[in-house]
Amino acid sequence: MKMKRAGGVLAAVFAAAALPIVVASPASAAQRDCQYVVFDAGYTVGPKVQAACKFGATILHPGAFHGCYVSLVDIGVRDEIASRACSEAARA
């Protein structure tokens, strides 16, 4: 009986550890793509760019693209770069 319980606990711990990795992967990849577009255009990728791209990669938020775009433009990223970066973030 103790072996079944230990196996169940081990399975639950594994599932709890793996869930954030599985759930976060697409958004994280989209966020990195967004940041790369900004970096490739010659801008420094700091906390504000990271936050904008992270918000842009929010799958279930209807204003994610707009929020990403406005945040990037507000910190001085050119319109066309912000648009392309946030489009990458929205690809999740």
Side-chain angles (χ1 to χ4, degrees):
M1 188 65 157
K2 285 186 180 182
M3 288 300 283
K4 282 186 178 182
R5 186 176 298 165
V9 169
L10 184 60
V13 168
F14 177 75
L19 186 61
I21 295 168
V22 171
V23 171
S25 293
S28 297
Q31 182 180 347
R32 279 192 304 272
D33 292 344
C34 171
Q35 292 174 13
Y36 181 75
V37 169
V38 175
F39 173 79
D40 194 44
Y43 296 95
T44 300
V45 176
K48 291 180 181 179
V49 170
Q50 292 170 355
C53 289
K54 181 177 182 179
F55 185 74
T58 306
I59 298 169
L60 299 177
H61 194 288
F65 175 88
H66 183 71
C68 172
Y69 176 82
V70 169
S71 296
L72 289 178
V73 170
D74 281 351
I75 60 172
V77 176
R78 288 192 336 258
D79 292 347
E80 60 274 4
I81 302 301
S83 180
R84 192 166 12 141
C86 295
S87 292
E88 288 295 323
R91 288 180 148 196

